[in-house]
Amino acid sequence: VKGHVTLMGAGPGAADLLTVRAARALAACDLVLYDALVDPEVLALAARAHRFYVGKRRGRHSMDQETIHRLLIRAARRGKRVVRLKCGDPFVFGRGGEEAIALAEAGVPFDVIPGVSSALAGPLDAGIPVTHRGVASGFVVLPGEPSRMWREMLSAGPRNGLTYVILMALARRAEIAAFALAKGFSTELPAAIVLGAHTRNAWTWKGTLARLAGAEIPRDTRDLPGLLVLGDVVAVSERIARTRQEHAEYKEMDREHFLA
Ligand SMILES: C[S@@+](CC[C@H](N)C(=O)[O-])C[C@H]1O[C@@H](n2cnc3c(N)ncnc32)[C@H](O)[C@@H]1O
């Protein structure tokens, strides 16, 4: 095998949250297989590559996992430098591990480049530190689907001192809130919804567990990816938000410099 596969994370949204290593691999590759939620500016860094969308979103499957494995293996065997690009981090709810195993079993050389996961960068964009001294000394990242894991965690996990970050859970927020309340979490436990973190359309709601089910999501943000945060750290964000300056102009200048 002369080719090579790089499994990589594109980060949570904005192109300049890509790692430098990932940007280099993109610039050098021949072929990119990319998923949903990857910023077009990230893709553009793969200037000389063929780019194929193989993502799935909201149950719309455009390609099954086996086919993706076959494509990666075949392209590498033909000597291509292939990038497999996923949103966030490739090993967080991204099936990157399965792809790594398939490549290893096929004897295809590969490496894995981490990405900034939305599980961390999502709360951060809303000013929420996932841990905070005296408030939360840990966090768990759970999928909304399937429900077994959040049900077990909310049944047995700490009521305070732990931050719950739940991805792929927007549609189930009423069910999750009702379950947590039934399990003895406080109605006043701070809760947040973070949509499209690190994108131009980012939108955040902050309130309490009791109000989470009734939170209104604006129509124009409904297609954005989003996550839920449950825990006292959501209230800490109010102390940060008040004095946090956006420096939008500087940010834009940095971005232009990086992408130039
Ligand atoms: C299939 S998972 C992949 C997670 C990804 N590998 C990561 O580490 O962020 C997709 C979920 O990530 C979350 N997500 C991805 N990008 C996001 C963003 N910019 N803002 C909020 N949530 C995001 C949403 O919960 C979405 O349903």
Side-chain angles (χ1 to χ4, degrees):
V1 179
K2 295 193 298 301
H4 178 270
V5 176
T6 299
L7 300 172
M8 70 162 75
D16 53 354
L17 289 175
L18 193 70
T19 65
V20 174
R21 190 183 295 183
R24 286 193 184 127
L26 279 168
C29 74
D30 307 306
L31 172 68
V32 181
L33 302 185
Y34 65 99
D35 275 357
L37 308 178
V38 171
D39 188 300
E41 281 183 16
V42 171
L43 270 183
L45 296 174
R48 42 179 291 273
H50 290 288
R51 306 164 208 168
F52 288 108
Y53 177 71
V54 296
K56 18 192 174 316
R57 184 110 209 264
R58 304 251 162 91
R60 293 195 298 268
H61 285 238
S62 65
M63 200 174 281
D64 66 34
Q65 196 60 37
E66 286 300 319
T67 309
I68 294 172
H69 294 173
R70 275 200 301 276
L71 280 176
L72 290 173
I73 292 165
R74 197 175 61 192
R77 284 188 175 150
R78 287 183 179 163
K80 304 273 186 225
R81 277 187 282 184
V82 186
V83 163
R84 176 69 179 104
L85 185 59
K86 297 162 177 294
C87 78
D89 182 272
F91 279 3
V92 177
F93 304 138
R95 307 191 72 168
E98 289 167 54
E99 292 171 17
I101 290 169
L103 293 167
E105 286 177 354
V108 170
F110 70 95
D111 66 339
V112 188
I113 302 179
V116 175
S117 179
S118 66
L120 302 173
L124 179 151
D125 198 36
I128 302 167
V130 289
T131 69
H132 192 76
R133 189 177 288 269
V135 179
S137 53
F139 59 90
V140 286
V141 180
L142 303 163
E145 194 67 53
S147 63
R148 188 177 74 89
M149 200 42 70
W150 61 257
R151 285 178 189 275
E152 281 188 23
M153 283 302 304
L154 294 177
S155 297
R159 270 64 188 137
N160 293 104
L162 183 70
T163 304
Y164 296 83
V165 181
I166 314 181
L167 273 59
M168 300 171 284
L170 283 187
R172 306 191 78 153
R173 62 188 186 281
E175 189 188 341
I176 292 169
F179 188 87
L181 291 169
K183 292 294 174 185
F185 281 79
S186 164
T187 53
E188 295 307 307
L189 184 75
I193 302 172
V194 182
L195 300 184
H198 301 285
T199 70
R200 284 178 209 287
N201 305 318
W203 180 86
T204 302
W205 174 92
K206 289 174 192 163
T208 59
L209 192 55
R211 288 170 43 221
L212 179 62
E216 278 283 338
I217 294 183
R219 193 168 288 278
D220 60 347
T221 60
R222 278 182 201 163
D223 278 342
L224 297 175
L227 50 84
L228 307 179
V229 188
L230 308 180
D232 290 309
V233 287
V234 172
V236 172
S237 73
E238 300 305 329
R239 285 157 57 194
I240 294 172
R242 252 180 273 141
T243 49
R244 192 176 171 217
Q245 297 288 327
E246 276 302 320
H247 293 306
E249 255 177 57
Y250 287 107
K251 267 199 207 161
E252 205 45 50
M253 269 160 48
D254 284 353
R255 283 168 60 77
E256 279 164 15
H257 199 75
F258 166 74
L259 294 167

Coordinates of all heavy atoms in Angstrom, one line a residue, residues 22-90:
A22 N -4.0 19.4 11.1 CA -5.1 19.0 10.2 C -5.0 19.9 8.9 O -5.2 19.4 7.8 CB -6.4 19.2 10.9
A23 N -4.7 21.1 9.1 CA -4.7 22.0 7.9 C -3.6 21.6 7.0 O -3.8 21.6 5.8 CB -4.4 23.5 8.4
R24 N -2.4 21.2 7.5 CA -1.3 20.7 6.7 C -1.7 19.4 5.9 O -1.5 19.3 4.7 CB -0.1 20.4 7.5 CG 0.6 21.6 8.0 CD 2.0 21.3 8.6 NE 2.5 22.5 9.1 CZ 3.0 22.6 10.3 NH1 3.0 21.6 11.2 NH2 3.5 23.8 10.7
A25 N -2.4 18.5 6.6 CA -2.8 17.3 6.0 C -3.8 17.5 4.9 O -3.8 16.9 3.8 CB -3.4 16.3 7.0
L26 N -4.7 18.5 5.1 CA -5.7 18.8 4.1 C -5.0 19.4 2.8 O -5.3 19.1 1.7 CB -6.7 19.9 4.6 CG -7.8 19.3 5.5 CD1 -8.6 20.4 6.2 CD2 -8.8 18.4 4.6
A27 N -4.0 20.3 3.0 CA -3.3 20.9 1.9 C -2.6 19.9 1.1 O -2.4 20.1 -0.1 CB -2.4 22.0 2.4
A28 N -2.2 18.8 1.7 CA -1.4 17.8 1.0 C -2.1 16.6 0.4 O -1.6 15.8 -0.4 CB -0.3 17.3 1.9
C29 N -3.4 16.5 0.7 CA -4.1 15.3 0.3 C -4.7 15.3 -1.1 O -4.8 16.4 -1.8 CB -5.2 15.0 1.3 SG -6.7 16.1 1.1
D30 N -5.0 14.1 -1.6 CA -5.6 13.9 -3.0 C -7.1 13.8 -2.9 O -7.8 14.1 -3.9 CB -5.1 12.6 -3.6 CG -3.6 12.6 -3.6 OD1 -2.9 13.5 -4.1 OD2 -3.0 11.6 -3.1
L31 N -7.6 13.3 -1.8 CA -9.1 13.0 -1.7 C -9.6 13.3 -0.3 O -8.9 12.9 0.6 CB -9.2 11.5 -2.1 CG -10.6 10.9 -1.8 CD1 -11.6 11.4 -2.9 CD2 -10.6 9.3 -2.0
V32 N -10.7 13.9 -0.2 CA -11.4 14.1 1.1 C -12.8 13.5 1.1 O -13.6 13.8 0.2 CB -11.5 15.6 1.4 CG1 -12.2 15.9 2.8 CG2 -10.2 16.4 1.3
L33 N -13.0 12.7 2.1 CA -14.4 12.2 2.3 C -14.9 12.9 3.5 O -14.3 12.7 4.6 CB -14.4 10.7 2.5 CG -13.8 9.8 1.4 CD1 -14.0 8.3 1.7 CD2 -14.5 10.1 0.0
Y34 N -15.9 13.7 3.4 CA -16.3 14.6 4.5 C -17.7 14.4 4.9 O -18.6 13.9 4.2 CB -16.0 16.1 4.2 CG -16.9 16.7 3.1 CD1 -18.0 17.4 3.4 CD2 -16.5 16.5 1.8 CE1 -18.8 18.0 2.4 CE2 -17.2 17.1 0.8 CZ -18.4 17.8 1.1 OH -19.1 18.4 0.1
D35 N -18.0 14.7 6.2 CA -19.3 14.5 6.8 C -20.1 15.8 6.8 O -19.6 16.9 6.5 CB -19.1 14.0 8.2 CG -19.0 12.5 8.3 OD1 -19.0 11.9 7.3 OD2 -18.8 12.0 9.4
A36 N -21.3 15.7 7.4 CA -22.1 16.9 7.6 C -21.4 17.8 8.7 O -20.6 17.3 9.4 CB -23.5 16.5 8.1
L37 N -21.8 19.1 8.7 CA -21.3 20.0 9.7 C -19.9 20.4 9.6 O -19.3 20.9 10.5 CB -21.6 19.5 11.1 CG -23.0 19.0 11.5 CD1 -23.0 18.5 12.9 CD2 -24.0 20.1 11.3
V38 N -19.3 20.1 8.4 CA -17.9 20.6 8.2 C -18.0 21.9 7.5 O -18.6 22.0 6.4 CB -17.1 19.5 7.4 CG1 -15.7 20.1 7.0 CG2 -16.9 18.3 8.2
D39 N -17.3 22.9 8.0 CA -17.3 24.3 7.4 C -16.7 24.3 6.0 O -15.6 23.7 5.8 CB -16.5 25.2 8.3 CG -16.6 26.6 8.0 OD1 -16.2 27.0 6.8 OD2 -17.1 27.4 8.8
P40 N -17.3 24.9 5.0 CA -16.8 25.0 3.7 C -15.4 25.5 3.6 O -14.6 25.2 2.7 CB -17.8 25.9 2.9 CG -19.0 25.8 3.7 CD -18.6 25.5 5.2
E41 N -15.1 26.5 4.5 CA -13.7 27.0 4.6 C -12.7 26.0 4.9 O -11.5 26.1 4.5 CB -13.6 28.2 5.6 CG -14.2 29.5 5.1 CD -14.1 30.6 6.1 OE1 -13.3 30.5 7.0 OE2 -14.8 31.6 5.9
V42 N -13.1 25.0 5.7 CA -12.1 23.9 6.0 C -11.9 23.1 4.8 O -10.8 22.8 4.4 CB -12.7 23.0 7.2 CG1 -11.8 21.8 7.3 CG2 -12.7 23.8 8.5
L43 N -13.0 22.8 4.1 CA -12.9 22.0 2.9 C -12.0 22.7 1.8 O -11.2 22.0 1.1 CB -14.2 21.8 2.3 CG -15.0 20.6 2.7 CD1 -16.3 20.5 1.9 CD2 -14.2 19.3 2.5
A44 N -12.1 24.0 1.8 CA -11.4 24.8 0.8 C -9.9 24.6 1.0 O -9.1 24.9 0.1 CB -11.8 26.2 0.8
L45 N -9.4 24.3 2.2 CA -8.0 24.1 2.4 C -7.4 22.9 1.7 O -6.3 22.8 1.5 CB -7.7 23.9 4.0 CG -8.1 25.2 4.8 CD1 -7.9 24.8 6.3 CD2 -7.2 26.3 4.5
A46 N -8.3 22.0 1.3 CA -7.9 20.8 0.5 C -8.0 21.2 -0.9 O -8.7 20.7 -1.7 CB -8.8 19.6 0.8
A47 N -7.1 22.2 -1.3 CA -7.3 22.9 -2.6 C -7.1 21.9 -3.8 O -7.8 22.1 -4.8 CB -6.3 24.0 -2.7
R48 N -6.2 21.0 -3.7 CA -5.9 20.1 -4.8 C -6.6 18.8 -4.8 O -6.4 17.9 -5.6 CB -4.4 20.0 -5.0 CG -3.6 19.7 -3.7 CD -2.1 19.5 -4.0 NE -1.9 18.3 -4.7 CZ -1.7 17.1 -4.2 NH1 -1.7 17.0 -2.9 NH2 -1.5 16.0 -4.9
A49 N -7.5 18.6 -3.8 CA -8.1 17.3 -3.6 C -9.5 17.2 -4.3 O -10.2 18.2 -4.4 CB -8.2 17.0 -2.1
H50 N -9.9 15.9 -4.6 CA -11.3 15.7 -4.9 C -12.0 15.6 -3.6 O -11.5 15.0 -2.6 CB -11.4 14.3 -5.6 CG -10.9 14.4 -7.0 ND1 -11.5 15.1 -8.0 CD2 -9.8 13.9 -7.6 CE1 -10.8 15.0 -9.1 NE2 -9.8 14.2 -8.9
R51 N -13.2 16.1 -3.5 CA -14.0 16.2 -2.3 C -15.3 15.5 -2.4 O -16.1 15.9 -3.3 CB -14.2 17.6 -1.8 CG -12.9 18.4 -1.7 CD -13.1 19.9 -1.7 NE -12.0 20.6 -2.3 CZ -12.0 21.9 -2.6 NH1 -13.1 22.6 -2.3 NH2 -11.0 22.5 -3.1
F52 N -15.6 14.5 -1.5 CA -16.9 13.8 -1.6 C -17.6 13.9 -0.3 O -17.0 13.6 0.8 CB -16.6 12.4 -2.0 CG -16.3 12.2 -3.4 CD1 -15.0 11.8 -3.7 CD2 -17.2 12.4 -4.4 CE1 -14.6 11.7 -5.1 CE2 -16.8 12.2 -5.8 CZ -15.5 11.9 -6.1
Y53 N -18.9 14.2 -0.4 CA -19.7 14.2 0.8 C -20.2 12.8 1.1 O -20.8 12.2 0.2 CB -20.9 15.2 0.6 CG -21.9 15.2 1.8 CD1 -21.5 15.8 3.0 CD2 -23.1 14.6 1.7 CE1 -22.4 15.8 4.0 CE2 -24.0 14.6 2.7 CZ -23.6 15.2 3.9 OH -24.5 15.2 5.0
V54 N -20.0 12.3 2.3 CA -20.4 10.9 2.6 C -21.2 11.0 3.9 O -21.4 10.0 4.6 CB -19.2 9.9 2.7 CG1 -18.5 9.8 1.4 CG2 -18.3 10.4 3.8
G55 N -21.7 12.1 4.3 CA -22.3 12.3 5.6 C -23.7 11.8 5.7 O -24.4 11.4 4.7
K56 N -24.1 11.8 6.9 CA -25.5 11.4 7.2 C -26.0 12.4 8.2 O -25.3 12.8 9.1 CB -25.7 10.0 7.8 CG -24.4 9.4 8.3 CD -24.6 7.9 8.5 CE -23.3 7.2 8.9 NZ -22.1 7.3 8.3
R57 N -27.2 12.9 8.1 CA -27.8 13.9 9.0 C -29.2 13.6 9.2 O -29.9 13.4 8.2 CB -27.5 15.3 8.5 CG -27.9 16.4 9.5 CD -26.7 17.1 10.1 NE -27.1 17.7 11.4 CZ -27.6 18.9 11.6 NH1 -27.7 19.7 10.6 NH2 -27.9 19.3 12.8
R58 N -29.7 13.6 10.5 CA -31.1 13.3 10.7 C -31.7 12.2 10.0 O -32.7 12.3 9.3 CB -31.9 14.6 10.3 CG -31.4 15.9 11.0 CD -32.4 16.3 12.0 NE -31.8 17.3 12.9 CZ -31.8 18.6 12.8 NH1 -32.3 19.1 11.7 NH2 -31.2 19.3 13.7
G59 N -31.0 11.1 10.0 CA -31.5 9.8 9.5 C -31.4 9.8 7.9 O -31.7 8.7 7.3
R60 N -31.0 10.9 7.3 CA -30.8 10.8 5.8 C -29.5 10.2 5.5 O -28.5 10.9 5.6 CB -30.9 12.2 5.2 CG -32.3 12.8 5.3 CD -32.4 14.0 4.4 NE -31.4 15.0 4.7 CZ -31.7 16.1 5.5 NH1 -32.9 16.2 6.0 NH2 -30.8 17.0 5.7
H61 N -29.4 8.9 5.2 CA -28.2 8.3 4.9 C -27.8 8.5 3.5 O -28.5 8.2 2.6 CB -28.3 6.8 5.2 CG -28.3 6.5 6.7 ND1 -27.4 5.6 7.3 CD2 -29.1 6.9 7.6 CE1 -27.7 5.6 8.5 NE2 -28.7 6.3 8.8
S62 N -26.6 9.0 3.3 CA -26.2 9.2 1.9 C -25.2 8.0 1.6 O -25.0 7.7 0.4 CB -25.6 10.5 1.6 OG -24.4 10.6 2.4
M63 N -24.6 7.5 2.6 CA -23.7 6.3 2.4 C -23.5 5.5 3.6 O -23.4 6.1 4.7 CB -22.3 6.9 1.9 CG -21.4 5.9 1.2 SD -20.0 6.7 0.6 CE -20.5 7.5 -0.8
D64 N -23.5 4.2 3.5 CA -23.4 3.4 4.7 C -22.0 3.3 5.2 O -21.1 3.5 4.4 CB -24.2 2.1 4.7 CG -23.6 1.1 3.7 OD1 -22.4 1.2 3.5 OD2 -24.4 0.4 3.0
Q65 N -21.8 2.9 6.4 CA -20.5 2.8 7.0 C -19.6 1.9 6.2 O -18.4 2.2 6.0 CB -20.6 2.5 8.5 CG -19.4 2.7 9.3 CD -19.0 4.2 9.3 OE1 -19.9 5.1 9.3 NE2 -17.7 4.5 9.3
E66 N -20.1 0.7 5.8 CA -19.3 -0.3 5.1 C -18.7 0.3 3.8 O -17.6 0.1 3.4 CB -20.1 -1.5 4.8 CG -20.4 -2.4 6.0 CD -19.1 -2.9 6.6 OE1 -18.2 -3.3 5.9 OE2 -19.0 -2.9 7.9
T67 N -19.6 1.0 3.1 CA -19.2 1.6 1.9 C -18.1 2.7 2.1 O -17.1 2.7 1.3 CB -20.4 2.3 1.2 OG1 -21.4 1.4 1.1 CG2 -20.0 2.8 -0.2
I68 N -18.2 3.4 3.2 CA -17.1 4.4 3.5 C -15.8 3.7 3.7 O -14.7 4.0 3.2 CB -17.5 5.3 4.7 CG1 -18.7 6.2 4.3 CG2 -16.3 6.1 5.2 CD1 -19.3 6.9 5.5
H69 N -15.9 2.6 4.5 CA -14.6 1.8 4.8 C -14.0 1.3 3.4 O -12.8 1.4 3.2 CB -15.0 0.6 5.6 CG -15.4 0.9 7.0 ND1 -15.9 0.0 7.9 CD2 -15.5 2.1 7.7 CE1 -16.2 0.6 9.0 NE2 -16.0 1.9 8.9
R70 N -14.9 0.8 2.6 CA -14.4 0.3 1.3 C -13.7 1.4 0.5 O -12.7 1.2 -0.1 CB -15.5 -0.4 0.5 CG -15.8 -1.8 0.9 CD -16.5 -2.6 -0.2 NE -17.8 -2.0 -0.5 CZ -18.9 -2.2 0.2 NH1 -18.9 -3.1 1.1 NH2 -20.0 -1.6 -0.2
L71 N -14.4 2.6 0.4 CA -13.8 3.7 -0.3 C -12.4 4.1 0.2 O -11.5 4.4 -0.6 CB -14.7 4.9 -0.2 CG -16.0 4.9 -1.2 CD1 -16.8 6.1 -0.8 CD2 -15.5 4.9 -2.6
L72 N -12.3 4.2 1.5 CA -11.1 4.6 2.1 C -10.0 3.6 1.8 O -8.9 4.0 1.4 CB -11.2 4.7 3.7 CG -12.1 5.8 4.2 CD1 -12.3 5.6 5.8 CD2 -11.5 7.1 4.0
I73 N -10.3 2.3 1.9 CA -9.3 1.3 1.7 C -8.9 1.3 0.2 O -7.7 1.2 -0.1 CB -9.8 -0.1 2.2 CG1 -10.0 -0.1 3.7 CG2 -8.9 -1.2 1.7 CD1 -10.8 -1.2 4.3
R74 N -9.9 1.3 -0.6 CA -9.6 1.3 -2.1 C -8.7 2.5 -2.5 O -7.7 2.3 -3.2 CB -10.9 1.2 -2.9 CG -10.7 0.8 -4.3 CD -12.0 0.6 -5.0 NE -12.7 1.9 -5.1 CZ -13.9 2.1 -5.5 NH1 -14.7 1.0 -5.8 NH2 -14.5 3.3 -5.6
A75 N -9.1 3.7 -2.1 CA -8.3 4.8 -2.5 C -6.9 4.8 -2.0 O -5.9 5.1 -2.7 CB -9.0 6.1 -2.0
A76 N -6.7 4.3 -0.7 CA -5.3 4.2 -0.2 C -4.5 3.2 -1.0 O -3.4 3.4 -1.2 CB -5.4 3.8 1.3
R77 N -5.2 2.1 -1.3 CA -4.5 1.0 -2.1 C -4.1 1.5 -3.5 O -3.1 1.0 -4.0 CB -5.3 -0.2 -2.2 CG -5.4 -1.0 -0.9 CD -6.0 -2.3 -1.0 NE -5.9 -3.0 0.3 CZ -6.8 -3.9 0.8 NH1 -7.9 -4.2 0.1 NH2 -6.6 -4.5 1.9
R78 N -4.8 2.5 -3.9 CA -4.4 3.1 -5.2 C -3.3 4.1 -5.1 O -3.0 4.9 -6.0 CB -5.6 3.7 -5.9 CG -6.6 2.6 -6.4 CD -7.7 3.2 -7.2 NE -8.6 2.2 -7.7 CZ -9.8 2.4 -8.1 NH1 -10.4 3.6 -8.0 NH2 -10.6 1.4 -8.5
G79 N -2.9 4.3 -3.9 CA -1.8 5.2 -3.7 C -2.2 6.6 -3.3 O -1.4 7.5 -3.3
K80 N -3.5 6.8 -3.1 CA -3.9 8.2 -2.7 C -3.7 8.6 -1.3 O -3.7 7.7 -0.4 CB -5.5 8.3 -2.9 CG -5.9 7.9 -4.3 CD -5.9 9.1 -5.2 CE -6.5 8.7 -6.6 NZ -5.7 9.2 -7.7
R81 N -3.4 9.9 -1.1 CA -3.4 10.4 0.3 C -4.8 10.9 0.6 O -5.3 11.8 0.0 CB -2.5 11.6 0.4 CG -1.0 11.1 0.6 CD -0.1 12.2 0.9 NE 0.2 12.9 -0.4 CZ 1.1 13.9 -0.5 NH1 1.7 14.4 0.6 NH2 1.4 14.5 -1.6
V82 N -5.5 10.2 1.5 CA -6.9 10.4 1.7 C -7.1 11.0 3.1 O -6.5 10.7 4.1 CB -7.7 9.0 1.7 CG1 -9.2 9.2 1.9 CG2 -7.3 8.2 0.5
V83 N -8.0 12.0 3.1 CA -8.4 12.6 4.4 C -9.9 12.2 4.7 O -10.7 12.4 3.8 CB -8.3 14.1 4.5 CG1 -9.1 14.7 5.6 CG2 -6.8 14.5 4.6
R84 N -10.1 11.7 5.9 CA -11.5 11.4 6.3 C -11.8 12.4 7.3 O -11.3 12.4 8.5 CB -11.5 10.0 6.9 CG -12.9 9.6 7.4 CD -13.9 9.4 6.4 NE -15.2 9.1 6.9 CZ -16.2 9.9 7.1 NH1 -16.1 11.2 6.7 NH2 -17.3 9.5 7.6
L85 N -12.7 13.4 6.9 CA -12.9 14.6 7.7 C -14.3 14.5 8.4 O -15.3 14.4 7.8 CB -12.9 15.8 6.7 CG -13.0 17.2 7.2 CD1 -11.9 17.5 8.2 CD2 -12.9 18.2 6.1
K86 N -14.3 14.7 9.7 CA -15.5 14.7 10.5 C -15.6 15.9 11.3 O -14.6 16.6 11.6 CB -15.4 13.5 11.5 CG -15.4 12.2 10.8 CD -14.9 11.1 11.7 CE -14.9 9.7 11.0 NZ -16.3 9.3 10.7
C87 N -16.8 16.2 11.8 CA -16.9 17.4 12.6 C -16.4 17.1 14.0 O -16.4 16.0 14.4 CB -18.4 17.9 12.6 SG -19.5 17.0 13.7
G88 N -16.0 18.2 14.7 CA -15.6 18.0 16.1 C -14.3 17.2 16.2 O -13.4 17.4 15.4
D89 N -14.4 16.2 17.1 CA -13.3 15.2 17.2 C -13.7 13.9 16.5 O -14.8 13.5 16.7 CB -13.0 15.0 18.7 CG -11.8 14.1 18.8 OD1 -12.0 12.8 18.9 OD2 -10.6 14.5 18.9
P90 N -12.8 13.3 15.8 CA -13.2 12.1 15.1 C -13.6 10.9 15.9 O -14.3 10.0 15.5 CB -12.0 11.7 14.2 CG -10.8 12.4 14.9 CD -11.4 13.6 15.5

